[in-house]
Every structure is written in structure tokens, then in C-alpha cells.
């Protein structure tokens, strides 16, 4: 059976990774969470003290980018690949609100994007990949056979992210999560390099009122239609 590239873009907390993981499992494809890669570079920047509320030392980050190695390793218990930064599993650390509050700034740096996009293109070179992010259908794989653009209201998205953080034991306020979601929407869609935009040929999925199962079935039928067209 022919393999395709599935590009999933959209605002933060629109459930991109949930559906991407479901699809990858169902199709036997590789799943790549590109947001995790930008988060890992952000964690590296924080570990070196180059970013905090008052400053961002872009020059030091850029000069030291060659010291960042990001890998994914499949965890059979979880059923997906976890992200490693310079050999250490950072899957949990990269999901904190603190990392979320800096990641859009780090992701706006062209040198960071250049490095990560190169790696992403390599990971998907044999197709059979589901990749989610902000620029997958526009920059990383402009020729992807299927492009999805996920949306949902800011309130629904903040509620989902808030529930997720609380369920893993983080102490956060809903207002802070909502503000972070809105700030990231703004920075991600207004940056100069590869801003978040819907590709002309992407199919928009608003999942504000869709159950996970309904969304999965809807997207799976789009995958099947794409595969039929290519057969
Ligand atoms: O999907 P996420 O929320 O984990 O992504 C974290 C941040 O990384 C997001 O605010 C924007 C950035 N990002 C990006 O600029 N390009 C991508 N392909 C993926 C994520």
C-alpha cells in the first residue's frame, strides 16, 4: 500500500497531537511532534540561563545550536515516541507552563527553525509519517498528500490544556493558561519566519464541538479518500 505524508497544523492545544498519534497507530506510520522539538530547544535555552522574563540572549543560543541533539525514542508502554535532549528524556519537562511561556520566542528565531526543519524533512523523507506543528503543510512538507488545519475556540483549548496540566499534578491557574494560549496564537501567527497560516490546500477541522472519536473518524475518511485517489 502506498504511503503518504500527513501534515497537521493549527493553533496550540487544538488536539493535533492526539489525532496524529491515533492516525499513526492506526496506519502504522511514524508520528513526529515538531512542537516537542521547539520545546526541547527552549529547555536547552533555559538550562543555560539565556532566557527568562527579562532577557533572551539570542546570540548565545544561535552560536551553541550545534550542541543541541534532539532524538525521539519509541516508548512501547505509552505507544508513542518520547523526546530526548542531549540523551536525556525530557518529555515531561518540556510540557510545563514555563517552557510554554518562552517557546514561541525561541521558535521565532530563523536559525532555530532552519535546523529543526532540516531534521524534520529527513525524518519524513520516506513518507508514512504524520507530523504536527505550525508550518508542516506550508514549509516542511509543502507537497504533503494530506494537509489538515485544526482549530477550536481559545476557551475550549485553554480548558483542555488546563485539565491536562492539573491531571499531571501541576499547580496552574486557568487564567494563566488562557493567557499563554492567546499569547502563543499571536506570536506564532505574526512572526516573520514561517508564521502559522493555513496552507491553501489544507482542510480545516474545527473540533470545538467534536468528540475525539467523531474527529478521528472524520479524519480517517479523509485519509482513505486521499489513498484511493492515489491508487
Ligand atoms: O505544538 P506545541 O504547543 O507543543 O508547540 C510549541 C510551540 O512551538 C508553539 O507555540 C509554536 C512552536 N512551533 C513552531 O513554531 N513550529 C512548529 N512546527 C511546531 C511548533
Amino acid at each position: 500500500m502506498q504511503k503518504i505524508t500527513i501534515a497537521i497544523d493549527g493553533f496550540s492545544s487544538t488536539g493535533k497531537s492526539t489525532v496524529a498519534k491515533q492516525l499513526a497507530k492506526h496506519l502504522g506510520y511514524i508520528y513526529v511532534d515538531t512542537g516537542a522539538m521547539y520545546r526541547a530547544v527552549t529547555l536547552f535555552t533555559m538550562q543555560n540561563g539565556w532566557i527568562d522574563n527579562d532577557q533572551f540572549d539570542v546570540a548565545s543560543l544561535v552560536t551553541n545550536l550545534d550542541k543541541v541533539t534532539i532524538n525521539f525514542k519509541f516508548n512501547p508502554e505509552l505507544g508513542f515516541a518520547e523526546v530526548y535532549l542531549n540523551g536525556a528524556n525530557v518529555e515531561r519537562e518540556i510540557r510545563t507552563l514555563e517552557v510554554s511561556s518562552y517557546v514561541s520566542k525561541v521558535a521565532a528565531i530563523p536559525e532555530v527553525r532552519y535546523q529543526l526543519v532540516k531534521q524534520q524533512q529527513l525524518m519524513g523523507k520516506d513518507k508514512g509519517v504524520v507530523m504536527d506543528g505550525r508550518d508542516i503543510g506550508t514549509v516542511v512538507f509543502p507537497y504533503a498528500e494530506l494537509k489538515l488545519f485544526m482549530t477550536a475556540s481559545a476557551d475550549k483549548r485553554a480548558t483542555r490544556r488546563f485539565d491536562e496540566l492539573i491531571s499531571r499534578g501541576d499547580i496552574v491557574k486557568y487564567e494563566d493558561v488562557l493567557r499563554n494560549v492567546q499569547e502563543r496564537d499571536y506570536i506564532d501567527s505574526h512572526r516573520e519566519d514561517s508564521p502559522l497560516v493555513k496552507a491553501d490546500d489544507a482542510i480545516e477541522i474545527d473540533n470545538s464541538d467534536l468528540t475525539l472519536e467523531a474527529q478521528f473518524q472524520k479524519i480517517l475518511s479523509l485519509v482513505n479518500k486521499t489513498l484511493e485517489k492515489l491508487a
Side-chain angles (χ1 to χ4, degrees):
M1 173 102 103
Q2 187 166 2
K3 291 199 166 189
I4 59 169
T5 300
I6 303 174
I8 306 182
D9 290 303
F11 293 102
S12 58
S13 305
T14 41
K16 299 182 297 292
S17 68
T18 305
V19 74
K21 279 178 199 160
Q22 285 174 314
L23 283 178
K25 192 170 173 199
H26 184 87
L27 299 165
Y29 281 19
I30 294 169
Y31 162 56
V32 180
D33 173 355
T34 64
M37 299 171 76
Y38 288 95
R39 287 173 180 271
V41 176
T42 304
L43 185 63
F44 174 80
T45 316
M46 287 161 61
Q47 285 169 343
N48 284 286
W50 297 325
I51 196 164
D52 56 40
N53 280 329
D54 307 315
Q55 54 94 34
F56 178 14
D57 183 351
V58 177
S60 292
L61 170 61
V62 170
T63 342
N64 288 285
L65 266 181
D66 58 341
K67 298 193 181 73
V68 182
T69 304
I70 297 169
N71 301 105
F72 286 96
K73 274 190 215 159
F74 189 76
N75 179 331
E77 269 172 42
L78 295 173
F80 65 89
E82 294 179 295
V83 68
Y84 284 70
L85 167 65
N86 294 333
N89 183 332
V90 292
E91 186 62 37
R92 195 189 152 84
E93 263 176 282
I94 59 162
R95 310 280 169 199
T96 61
L97 195 52
E98 199 188 359
V99 171
S100 298
S101 70
Y102 299 131
V103 65
S104 287
K105 286 185 189 156
V106 172
I109 306 302
E111 289 86 351
V112 171
R113 304 203 68 81
Y114 178 78
Q115 288 292 337
L116 295 188
V117 167
K118 242 191 342 189
Q119 267 192 51
Q120 290 153 11
Q121 288 172 332
L122 207 61
M123 288 189 241
K125 72 176 185 352
D126 298 326
K127 298 191 182 262
V129 66
V130 188
M131 198 171 280
D132 77 2
R134 304 293 188 285
D135 59 342
I136 312 304
T138 51
V139 176
V140 183
F141 294 119
Y143 300 110
E145 290 83 355
L146 180 62
K147 298 181 187 176
L148 303 171
F149 190 84
M150 316 276 293
T151 62
S153 68
D155 176 52
K156 277 262 154 76
R157 292 186 284 129
T159 305
R160 285 176 194 157
R161 186 49 64 103
F162 176 75
D163 290 346
E164 202 177 291
L165 290 167
I166 292 292
S167 74
R168 36 171 261 178
D170 289 9
I171 299 164
V172 287
K173 286 200 209 115
Y174 172 79
E175 294 73 35
D176 292 340
V177 177
L178 177 64
R179 193 173 335 108
N180 174 254
V181 161
Q182 290 167 331
E183 272 170 17
R184 283 202 290 146
D185 285 356
Y186 185 85
I187 304 178
D188 294 346
S189 44
H190 287 83
R191 67 179 174 229
E192 225 160 272
D193 188 347
S194 321
L196 169 64
V197 282
K198 178 180 164 298
D200 290 339
D201 51 350
I203 299 165
E204 186 164 332
I205 311 269
D206 184 334
N207 63 19
S208 302
D209 298 306
L210 278 182
T211 64
L212 277 186
E213 184 53 26
Q215 166 177 270
F216 179 59
Q217 291 307 330
K218 184 173 176 163
I219 293 176
L220 194 57
S221 80
L222 294 172
V223 172
N224 288 331
K225 268 191 217 147
T226 309
L227 287 167
E228 277 162 24
K229 263 196 244 156
L230 292 169

